[in-house]
Amino acid sequence: MELKRLRLGRNEERRLRGGHLWIYSNEVDNAVTPLKSFTQGEQAIVETHVGKAVGVAYVNPHSLICARLIGHGEQRLDKSLLVHRLNQALALREALFDAPFYRLIFGESDLLPGLVVDRFGDHLVVQLNTAGMDAAREAIVEALIQVLEPASILLRNDSSMRRLENLQKEVVVAYGRPPEHVELIENGVKFLAPLHDGQKTGWFYDQRPNRAWLKKYVAGKRVLDVFSYIGGFGVQAAAFGAREVWCVDSSESALALVRKNSECNGVGERMTCVEGDAFDVLKTLKEDGERFDVIIVDPPAFIKRKKDVAEGINAYRRINEAAMRLLGQEGFLLSGSCSMHLQREELIDILRGASRQLERHLQIIEEGMQGPDHPVHPAIPETRYIKAFMSRVYSP
Ligand code: SAH
């Protein structure tokens, strides 16, 4: 069946020709091709205001980003294109990692906008974050089975992005029997991650290279992991030789897995878990006179939308300052942010401001971003979202 055409306003193809994939609803020539004539997730040929084809996109008349290109050529999103793109993505990950634990598909950056696939060995966790990807779910599942022969595929379609796309939230088994917990290995350390009810896909592969930094800093040290989730940083710190590790999180089930994960790695005795609001817990630790040599602060996104920037920056400032107060005479602070609306310069300024407040000297000694299984699309700044700094903080 032939695809309908979606006409852009004058000059609105420029950003797309420059590599970008998104079309905003105000960029469409609604008089010629009314958005409301498209069904949610329908594919279309995008054309310039004089009718020249730009590429194929899927359309969502209900979303501010009303269409996303799946390529600049003529290919439409079907099983054959999916198999091709999956193989291209797989080739990169297989070259990067020696074990099958990674983000296999990172949406726009892997030219599959709105699709996320995390691989845990034989088990796959998928997020269909847009109407276009939701409409292609059968082809996606078939293509994944063909390329990877997995034991199971779970659709974690419960991200907040789905609301913007007029989609229901759901968690659905698409293939096989996804286990409750899945094993993975990261930086040589074993973990169990919860597939059905964990955060996002169950595990944050994005911080892998920044977690590896810990090897150089933690041997024999006392470590605090704030917003630990299931112990990504904290359990690795213990496995890398920390004398003692404290993990802080508000989720009881996350901390239960911190305990399990530290036991799996034979470091259970060095682990202490504290359940509670991180802001309160850090205050109490200070009052109790606790001190740490290395502190990790890797919070959830405090800035979800642009309008939350001021409030979010304030939260990052308060938590980083509270953490710095718990460092001894000399200590190391690993500060991360996954808010795409927080600029790296802003996080640097937060660290600077907090250290001045405490009359300490702060030196940034490492800077990181998300791992290479989350490639950056050069035209889409939102795809570069993780910031991470390792700093030494001391009294001069
Ligand atoms: N650092 C983790 C990822 C953190 S995800 C890793 O490397 O895997 C964010 C975590 O913060 C979640 O586990 C969530 O339960 C927790 N959280 C959210 N708000 C919190 C708060 N106010 N106090 C303590 N923990 C909080």
Side-chain angles (χ1 to χ4, degrees):
M1 209 176 69
E2 256 195 47
L3 296 182
K4 285 199 281 209
R5 300 180 80 89
L6 179 73
R7 178 162 294 195
L8 299 170
R10 183 180 289 272
N11 292 333
E12 301 290 12
E13 74 280 8
R14 278 193 194 156
R15 213 179 61 260
L16 303 175
R17 289 255 154 89
H20 212 296
L21 304 175
W22 297 349
I23 298 157
Y24 290 92
S25 51
N26 63 354
E27 294 168 348
V28 170
D29 186 338
N30 250 307
V32 179
T33 55
L35 265 177
K36 61 177 185 320
S37 69
F38 291 88
T39 58
Q40 193 167 300
E42 183 177 354
Q43 295 186 50
I45 296 168
V46 177
E47 61 179 27
T48 66
H49 70 293
V50 292
K52 271 186 94 174
V54 178
V56 175
Y58 58 70
V59 182
N60 185 351
H62 305 290
S63 176
L64 181 65
I65 300 174
C66 69
R68 294 177 199 236
L69 283 182
I70 48 134
H72 290 79
E74 291 170 11
Q75 269 179 308
R76 57 176 83 180
L77 184 63
D78 56 14
K79 186 178 164 193
S80 137
L81 180 69
L82 283 158
V83 166
H84 179 61
R85 295 265 156 88
L86 284 174
N87 277 316
Q88 288 178 318
L90 183 61
L92 173 68
R93 277 65 176 186
E94 286 186 333
L96 288 170
F97 303 107
D98 53 16
F101 305 102
Y102 39 69
R103 176 148 294 188
L104 173 64
I105 299 292
F106 182 48
E108 276 70 353
S109 298
D110 285 301
L111 292 179
L112 290 172
L115 179 66
V116 166
V117 181
D118 276 355
R119 182 174 191 188
F120 302 94
D122 287 337
H123 302 285
L124 304 176
V125 179
V126 175
Q127 291 181 317
L128 306 172
N129 287 325
T130 56
M133 282 298 161
D134 198 75
R137 75 166 67 196
E138 257 176 58
I140 291 168
V141 170
E142 283 174 20
L144 285 169
I145 292 171
Q146 180 175 324
V147 174
L148 294 156
E149 298 176 13
S152 80
I153 303 176
L154 180 69
L155 306 182
R156 278 295 302 267
N157 289 337
D158 52 352
S159 85
S160 53
M161 254 186 88
R162 284 184 58 102
R163 202 169 322 125
L164 302 175
E165 290 275 326
N166 194 35
L167 297 167
Q168 298 294 319
K169 290 192 186 185
E170 53 171 31
V171 177
V172 185
V173 176
Y175 182 69
R177 271 207 226 153
E180 192 183 340
H181 295 121
V182 78
E183 280 179 37
L184 67 107
I185 303 170
E186 186 184 283
N187 299 326
V189 182
K190 281 178 286 178
F191 286 91
L192 281 177
L195 289 196
H196 299 261
D197 51 7
Q199 299 270 333
K200 307 280 169 78
T201 62
W203 179 252
F204 296 95
Y205 280 122
D206 49 11
Q207 289 281 15
R208 169 180 358 218
N210 312 322
R211 294 184 184 124
W213 289 345
L214 292 173
K215 283 183 197 163
K216 288 174 279 183
Y217 302 94
V218 299
K221 296 292 167 69
R222 195 162 193 249
V223 176
L224 175 65
D225 180 6
V226 191
F227 306 100
S228 66
Y229 184 46
I230 61 175
F233 284 97
V235 173
Q236 288 189 37
F240 299 155
R243 176 175 93 240
E244 203 182 312
V245 178
W246 290 43
C247 282
V248 177
D249 203 282
S250 56
S251 158
E252 187 187 345
S253 58
L255 291 175
L257 274 171
V258 169
R259 274 181 221 105
K260 215 168 196 174
N261 286 328
S262 48
E263 280 155 21
C264 281
N265 290 281
V267 294
E269 282 171 12
R270 288 186 249 151
M271 185 63 69
T272 303
C273 292
V274 186
E275 186 189 329
D277 177 73
F279 293 86
D280 299 337
V281 173
L282 264 52
K283 202 163 151 240
T284 309
L285 291 174
K286 173 76 181 142
E287 285 162 7
D288 295 349
E290 301 288 353
R291 283 279 181 277
F292 297 89
D293 304 300
V294 180
I295 302 183
I296 299 109
V297 177
D298 177 37
F302 285 149
I303 308 172
K304 294 222 166 57
R305 289 155 302 183
K306 272 214 174 103
K307 69 176 184 55
D308 305 329
V309 169
E311 202 178 312
I313 285 183
N314 195 30
Y316 283 108
R317 180 169 297 144
R318 285 195 297 129
I319 201 71
N320 278 285
E321 192 179 313
M324 247 180 245
R325 285 183 194 282
L326 289 168
L327 288 173
Q329 278 298 314
E330 184 198 79
F332 293 89
L333 176 68
L334 195 169
S335 181
S337 164
C338 59
S339 300
M340 65 186 179
H341 299 299
L342 183 76
Q343 303 305 312
R344 74 178 276 281
E345 291 72 19
E346 288 168 327
L347 185 52
I348 292 174
D349 201 55
I350 286 165
L351 296 171
R352 180 202 58 73
S355 71
R356 288 314 305 147
Q357 193 70 29
L358 273 62
E359 300 187 346
R360 301 281 190 94
H361 182 52
L362 182 140
Q363 302 169 308
I364 294 172
I365 49 183
E366 317 230 23
E367 173 170 6
M369 56 178 217
Q370 68 246 24
D373 48 350
H374 297 63
V376 174
H377 189 307
I380 309 179
E382 288 85 346
T383 61
R384 183 177 175 164
Y385 65 107
I386 292 268
K387 275 78 54 186
F389 294 101
M390 177 67 97
S391 306
R392 181 167 76 135
V393 186
Y394 62 98
S395 304

